[in-house]
Amino acid sequence: MRYHPHTEDEIHEMLQVAGARSLDDLFRSIPEPLRLKRLLQVPPALDEIALFAEMRRLAGKNQTEHPPFIGAGAYPHHVPPVVDQLLLRGELFTAYTPYQPEVSQGTLQALFEWQTFVCLLTGMEVANASMYDGASATAEAALMAARLTGRKKLVVSAAVHPEYRRVLATYLASTGDEVVTVPFGADGRTDLGALARVVDGDTAAVVMGYPNFLGVVEPLGEAAALARKAGALSIAVTAEAVAFGMLKGPGELGVDVAVGTFQSFGNSLGYGGPAPGFFATSQQNIRQMPGRLCGATVDKQGRRGFVLTLSTREQHIRREKATSNICTNAGLAALASTIHLALLGRRGLADLARLNYERARLLRDAMKRAGFGLAFSGPTFNEMAFEVGDAEAVVARLARKGVAAGVPLGRFFPGEPRLRGALLCVATELHTPELIELFARDVRN
Amino acid sequence: MRYHPHTEDEIHEMLQVAGARSLDDLFRSIPEPLRLKRLLQVPPALDEIALFAEMRRLAGKNQTEHPPFIGAGAYPHHVPPVVDQLLLRGELFTAYTPYQPEVSQGTLQALFEWQTFVCLLTGMEVANASMYDGASATAEAALMAARLTGRKKLVVSAAVHPEYRRVLATYLASTGDEVVTVPFGADGRTDLGALARVVDGDTAAVVMGYPNFLGVVEPLGEAAALARKAGALSIAVTAEAVAFGMLKGPGELGVDVAVGTFQSFGNSLGYGGPAPGFFATSQQNIRQMPGRLCGATVDKQGRRGFVLTLSTREQHIRREKATSNICTNAGLAALASTIHLALLGRRGLADLARLNYERARLLRDAMKRAGFGLAFSGPTFNEMAFEVGDAEAVVARLARKGVAAGVPLGRFFPGEPRLRGALLCVATELHTPELIELFARDVRN
Amino acid sequence: MANPTGWKPSMEAEAAARTFDVGAGGATRGIAYEEKLLFERGSAGGRSGVSLPAPSGRADPRDELPAELLRAEIAELPALGELEVVRHFTRLSAWNHGIDTGFYPLGSCTMKYNPKSSEALARLPGFANAHPLLPAELAQGSLELMYQLERALSEISGFPATTLTPAAGAQGELTGVMMIRAYHVARGNPRKKVLIPDTAHGTNPATCALNGYEVVQLASGADGRLHPETVRAAMDEDVAAIMITNPNTLGIFESHIAEIAAVVHAKGGLVYGDGANLNALLGVARPGDMGFDVMQFNLHKTFATPHGGGGPGSGPVAVSENLIPFLPLPQVVKEGEHYRLVTEDRERPQSIGKVREFHGNFGMFVRALALIREYGPEGLRATGQLAVLNANYVRARLKDVYDLPYETDSLHEVVFTDKALKPTGVTTMDVAKRLIDHGFHPPTVYFPLVVHGALMIEPTETETKETLDRFVDGMRQVAEQAKTDPEGVKAAPLKSVRARLDEVRAARKPILRWRPGMKVE
Amino acid sequence: MANPTGWKPSMEAEAAARTFDVGAGGATRGIAYEEKLLFERGSAGGRSGVSLPAPSGRADPRDELPAELLRAEIAELPALGELEVVRHFTRLSAWNHGIDTGFYPLGSCTMKYNPKSSEALARLPGFANAHPLLPAELAQGSLELMYQLERALSEISGFPATTLTPAAGAQGELTGVMMIRAYHVARGNPRKKVLIPDTAHGTNPATCALNGYEVVQLASGADGRLHPETVRAAMDEDVAAIMITNPNTLGIFESHIAEIAAVVHAKGGLVYGDGANLNALLGVARPGDMGFDVMQFNLHKTFATPHGGGGPGSGPVAVSENLIPFLPLPQVVKEGEHYRLVTEDRERPQSIGKVREFHGNFGMFVRALALIREYGPEGLRATGQLAVLNANYVRARLKDVYDLPYETDSLHEVVFTDKALKPTGVTTMDVAKRLIDHGFHPPTVYFPLVVHGALMIEPTETETKETLDRFVDGMRQVAEQAKTDPEGVKAAPLKSVRARLDEVRAARKPILRWRPGMKVE
Ligand SMILES: Cc1ncc(COP(=O)(O)O)c(C=O)c1O
Ligand SMILES: Cc1ncc(COP(=O)(O)O)c(C=O)c1O
């Protein structure tokens, strides 16, 4: 049998050594009535050739020929093929959490580099070894804020990614924490006036998108200052981390916690996962952080090396007192980001951000020529919402051509008729000027 | 610039150290009139995204959706994806000829394993570290036979792969060696009577296909005995090495030299290359073998290790007295075969051969039901020629459907009108019973 | 030109001549490379390892974006070419032990072979380039795959339905306990407590705490099992659920599970199954048939998706009928030949909502389904059987040398202790480190907590008898060396690029990122 | 349980504590694994690492094939699972130094970075699954690619036409000399001799011999160059051609090439260019503009296709007008927008015929064209310039410590000797082996033959100044150590999995394959 290396003789011999009469006999500790008396009803075994044929059939049913014009939390970017070739080195991708640092220095040093990249891009002081995704990172940030402040009110901008807000709500359902949502204005920015009105002495944290779900760049510094004044933490949420190549890190703007996903670096869209969530904050909060942390130390001979550290925060030591229940995280996805960021480097990241910015301007101009204006007046990076009339109809029409046109904002804000015509679109380095031109024309007819 | 890591400052500093005023100045030893005064007229640089788009455009112009029914020297087989993942380990694929054995034991041990695989499959005593391809291996075998026997006549079966025979002719054009071709009979086997008539005291070697180009399995032992009686060497040529999973190795049949390609193991079709040529013979001929040889030895501390050996045969030592001019060979392609054979192992190779044999029988039966008989009556392995009327027309018609139908034998034997209707087809583990059925029907209408 | 480390070549020559012992797992010494941090390589000039279309420079961000939000290049980022990056990670990788390097019997983690074919499949462009918000018409392949996987996992676990969305085992637990809570809330009272045996993995209590439940720890018996009377004594109407790992983290089947479930159910509680150890039961028994109401899978364990140096995982959760209304979103449904995602609360008003953005770790779904399809019914059963055989073989071959704290039958893993080594002063940690010099990844150590000095060995079904024999040799040699040369054991590891690391120092003065000029020495 | 090697753990501990010097190239020691030969793992049972449809067993080969040709399973083949095979090659790979591991300044071999993107491109299904005998309609992509590459190579080399078909540099030489022969034959006399300078690579004389030509070796001058008078003295009407490598294997440009070509042409001879060193000239000068009539490329050198542990290569040959009729087959032609292969002699009656089955190493064509397209005109020129810059930088930084046999300007590589180390007894081979302990692949040694104790260093353009600086440090440290501790140098390498190997023994008692029971000790 595939991947089972046992020969009949070996099975026989091993059973004897183990003192069992048969393979079934090995399971004598399972009471008879609890055993399965039949084979599992899963489809019959496929050989590798048939398996590939079947999987190709499925992959072929997806229509992904052109880069989608959809962002909305997952961004189509070019992943240099070298990333994958390094990622597939078995020593890296078949290891697990580096519990034994002497044989895990590869994973550990890469994690330390990941943490540093997250800090440099977000402008924060410390970062952890990755989170499941941006949404749960946001929820964990809110929980940390509640722990740190001892308060129970979370003030969340309505322009934070709706899926992140849903996950936050799920996480908070059982804690008794309260979520207050603050609306955004016609410019797509969070209404700072409204924010000021709800942030108070009970507020644990203010949560803002950066750029927000509408593609708009928020006045993050002002929101952070507002939170600070009330003794609350500020949390910035970033799903399109390429923006950090152009926009200041939240840490530079006085934010306390930066979370989100680095999917844009090194990770394909992959129908939504895996991708590495990140979590960064200031030094003073490290003992309340969730997740694994990699730290530098020395070995017995004084040579620098890396270990997982501060594990007294974690479930395997602290159990019900742990700062979170995270065990397995998004290691390999974080490694992919680390490799991609290593390749990009200082200039590459800036160039990539600039290129995304420019392509989005090409999109804006092309859409304008096609007769579609912007839904929001606020500043944007590589994503923006257009007024296209009936957004759902446009999406359905373009889908029939195999084009993924963007997402209708109305879907996420059913209560807001003003957003019925808004189509959220992205343009990245993958969207060539020709493709953008074509797209704008397709949207029109 | 891509792959050029130099910064402007570094270039400046390095020029200074090197005592040059400019990059141009580094070339002062090239007389002015010999320098190129303009840029090369190649297309402008592409970034990686554009490069991939362009290459995908080209790859997309090939129609390769279904496995071709063509063998004829290159065989469509399933290469397990694990082969590629191991092959792409940088330590292996970015090393070169293992001149420095202490840092090349990986390449060297793998070569030793390759040589052993070649010996085990061919039944020969020794094998070299690979040849360019099957055709040049055949030519080099003929040259070796001429050196060993001091004779100048090569007797070659007309059923040896026509391209191999053309290469042999090219190689021999300048040596004054003579090639005599022996016809094959209605059974597709070499005419042993004719062979007996031309093999004589001037004959250096007899060259036979195994299986031959027509897919037919030759009476190799008898041909070898015939050669031996005349003091000539016998050379067996194998392009479909999967046959060795079912057929005795040439060495077991008294053959002196076995050559051909192991493309079928681990190497994709790749429009014809690279693929590893092999060269195996008996111990007594080792000092006349072409190409690199890997041998076992010990290190200073008595541990087993491997080195390139018997290099006194080779061009870098013996120069014009060398047994061949081969330097770079087909290392990585040989490694791919080695990995694939390691995976197959004893049972896997036998099963694969059996499966190919069975699929070819399905093809034969399906073609028969469609009204097409065999062109030759001799025994076959996984390849056979069918009588289809106008073979060129069939190929052209199926090409319009995107199906690669086989090769018309008439193309290779223009002098033989009896072969006008013969279409040489293969069936391997990639040709499912359904695909075979469909194909036979396609050939009919 | 003197070597700054003070080391002398003649010493090296001498030393090298003496250090080619070969461990039971083949370990010897060879060249490795020291490698600075990426950031220590400097960021001179504009060197980069990517090839992008040049920005036109036409649209100026300063025209649109507030000046106070714009940043210059990040000075501390590295500036490396592609080759340098390749060498960096190639060299780093050589410092790691992975399954592909050698035996990795890390108990509770099911370190089985990760098929390379799955990597190729997950990278098929149709999967890799699919945006999670594609219109359903453009994503029928992904949806069908998810549907197939959901069906297969439900059948394998014996439950009617499964959600694929949780990102790892612990998030699966969280999701499961959320559903339990929602179930109780729907019945008017979330209840207060969750019962958890003392053998449980740390994620179990941590999960309950996240859900606002108080954890009541139950003592397992002298046979390593949880006993119905223990549960009965703790069970009341404040108890929302019990969380049980079966087989438990001692590798022992909780044979009273049916009775325990009955006790809990009788008081209106639910039974959560931590499915991390499902490998032991594949095709042999099903949690859904034992009284469990809900369980999580760890696809990265049981279904061989790569552990990736710590993740990503995937933690689908299977539920019984009574919990179906509470399943998180999205859910894939098949309507005729068409597949569709249910994403909105209005279609599933009792759903706990979303626990992850989008749909889960789809890349892991591809790999898990590939394995299930490749194995089929017989292969899945053989997986469970051979995993258990391997563990029992190791157990039988080591129990005369290492202390076995429980004589009870083992399933897929076996836990030893360092008790027999006590007189030598050699501890579980020392044994673990010395195994490194033999060429093995150490077992899980000091877990489960109920066992003092635990060495938890889970070989998995993908290992040969030959490998197990070598590992047994290594374990026995270490035990022997503990008697004759305990200091030698305590000095281990000697062959790895780093000796034992100072973990206390790491925690006392946490250095969690590089900063310019950083020195750790 | 005693260790059979007689080695004692305490020795190991002591030794390990002392051996963590770090070489100039970063080399230290870490875990490596001894690994038996595949065949030494036994072939028990029917274990296999592949997954194939089961043979139905219906068609019995004995019914059709002669019994005397049928074989049973080959008993000595291994029987391993996929994981075992993965570990085997993963472990073996760690014993190798590749470009991806570290600096690899192997002179004459142009060990530049092999772009990973090229590997992805060559594996696009449209290329990988194309059968070489596909009808032209189904292979337009391959054909267009070949056409584009042929055009680009012709432009780069300055010749009107190029054949892609030869499988490596040496086969390119063979093809070139065959064309030269055919050219002379067409003029009634194949002639007898070929002139070859003493700096030439071994393949040049070997190639001539294969073509039935007598080799006349020409002495290069004190400046490392071939002089016109030397050629004039040797040139007569029996000389078919001269073979010149430019820059030559000393890295020196043959600046008299135009005059030499004139001398040879005047007597009816042709000028063959060994293009192995083309990297030095990319975009800067073209052999076709210097009087050469024909030259081979080494795509695996100049165009970065992977060296693959010894190959495959690709050796296209460019020719001047007068040789076009003799080009081998196949040739790609463009007819309108359609591409087609000319394969038959009847279309090219003067062609030398075929030198390789099918069309050449197409996989290398993809990679080479990818590089050319990625670089464009400026990038190609920068390649030549920076390759030469790197070599000259190393030369300048080492010439005070190592003997430079020729003061003449270097282009892409520089040759030193061990002369300055003479008093210490340390030789070129010792320097090479000691560089291994520093973490570098040694340069090419003892070639070209005209230089006693040659150390031939070719850094290539893809290496950073930082790497060159470290290499220079390493070279200087070795020279220094040669003085203070020559035995330490001669004991090298100390860090690799194997110490120096007994090559004499290997050649005296050749063991070229495994056999059951084989022992090498
Ligand atoms: C018994 C047990 N339960 C739960 C978990 C948590 O699973 P994950 O790491 O996927 O979150 C683990 C993983 O180590 C485990 O071993
Ligand atoms: C100068 C020179 N000429 C010719 C060759 C032969 O090329 P190949 O190895 O590709 O056959 C080489 C390769 O090493 C070389 O360095």
Side-chain angles (χ1 to χ4, degrees), chain B residues 338-400:
Chain B
T338 305
I339 297 171
H340 193 186
L341 281 163
L343 289 163
L344 284 164
R346 197 175 58 149
R347 202 203 65 210
L349 178 63
D351 280 357
L352 180 63
R354 182 68 183 252
L355 196 58
N356 273 260
Y357 181 84
E358 288 183 0
R359 291 284 166 86
R361 266 64 229 150
L362 289 184
L363 176 64
R364 182 192 57 194
D365 298 347
M367 289 292 274
K368 188 168 180 185
R369 281 194 306 277
F372 307 113
L374 290 172
F376 304 102
S377 59
T380 59
F381 171 59
N382 67 355
E383 200 171 9
M384 43 189 79
F386 296 96
E387 272 302 341
V388 298
D390 183 344
E392 289 289 357
V394 168
V395 167
R397 177 160 52 75
L398 268 72
R400 284 193 293 276

Side-chain angles (χ1 to χ4, degrees), chain B residues 61 84 163 304 343 347 358, chain D residues 46 49 57 123 144 358 498:
Chain B
K61 279 178 74 180
D84 227 31
E163 298 222 344
R304 183 176 75 187
L343 289 163
R347 202 203 65 210
E358 288 183 0
Chain D
R123 285 167 176 77
E144 180 178 345
F358 308 126
R498 287 293 177 272

Side-chain angles (χ1 to χ4, degrees), chain B residues 96-97 99 132 292 315 325-329, chain D residues 107-109 167-173 200-204 245 249 274-277 296-298 300-301 310 313-315 447:
Chain B
Y96 200 18
T97 310
Y99 295 117
Y132 301 137
R292 312 265 184 203
Q315 44 76 24
N325 72 336
I326 295 179
C327 180
T328 297
N329 53 28
Chain D
S108 209
C109 298
Q171 209 189 26
E173 294 174 33
H201 193 259
T203 49
N204 296 3
T245 311
T249 63
D274 178 338
N277 291 346
Q296 103 280 358
F297 296 82
N298 297 51
H300 47 301
K301 298 179 178 178
S314 182
F447 177 74

Side-chain angles (χ1 to χ4, degrees), chain A residues 96 327-328, chain C residues 108 168-170 173 201 203 249 274 276 296 298 300-301:
Chain A
Y96 199 19
C327 179
T328 297
Chain C
S108 210
E173 294 175 33
H201 192 258
T203 49
T249 62
D274 178 339
Q296 102 280 359
N298 297 51
H300 46 301
K301 297 179 179 179

Side-chain angles (χ1 to χ4, degrees), chain C residues 359-520:
Chain C
H359 332 308
N361 282 342
F362 179 81
M364 304 301 131
F365 305 162
V366 180
R367 293 169 175 90
L369 185 66
L371 195 80
I372 292 169
R373 296 300 317 262
E374 173 111 32
Y375 273 142
E378 290 86 359
L380 289 173
R381 190 177 55 188
T383 297
Q385 290 173 330
L386 297 174
V388 171
L389 177 65
N390 276 3
N392 277 276
Y393 179 74
V394 169
R395 172 180 158 140
R397 293 219 41 212
L398 283 179
K399 70 175 178 203
D400 59 326
V401 189
Y402 287 89
D403 167 62
L404 192 64
Y406 298 96
E407 275 295 334
T408 315
D409 279 2
S410 298
L411 287 181
H412 68 299
E413 64 193 355
V414 56
V415 177
F416 290 104
T417 84
D418 55 2
K419 197 161 132 195
L421 306 179
K422 200 95 192 205
T424 68
V426 165
T427 65
T428 282
M429 188 56 83
D430 299 327
V431 172
K433 299 304 184 194
R434 187 61 185 149
L435 283 171
I436 291 173
D437 286 330
H438 278 284
F440 305 110
H441 193 285
T444 291
V445 292
Y446 300 109
F447 177 75
L449 305 177
V450 287
V451 175
H452 190 85
L455 275 158
M456 185 193 213
I457 300 168
E458 181 183 14
T460 87
E461 72 283 1
T462 58
E463 297 294 339
T464 60
K465 176 174 174 296
E466 189 188 343
T467 298
L468 301 184
D469 285 337
R470 285 200 226 136
F471 175 68
V472 165
D473 288 349
M475 286 286 284
R476 299 184 77 97
Q477 284 177 32
V478 174
E480 183 62 27
Q481 194 189 351
K483 289 186 217 148
T484 58
D485 175 29
E487 288 317 305
V489 179
K490 289 187 153 307
L494 299 168
K495 290 177 184 157
S496 47
V497 285
R498 287 293 176 272
R500 290 196 207 186
L501 289 139
D502 188 345
E503 310 211 11
V504 173
R505 171 186 158 138
R508 196 174 300 148
K509 300 194 288 180
I511 305 173
L512 306 178
R513 60 171 291 190
W514 169 86
R515 283 186 189 278
M518 176 183 94
K519 283 229 168 63
V520 184

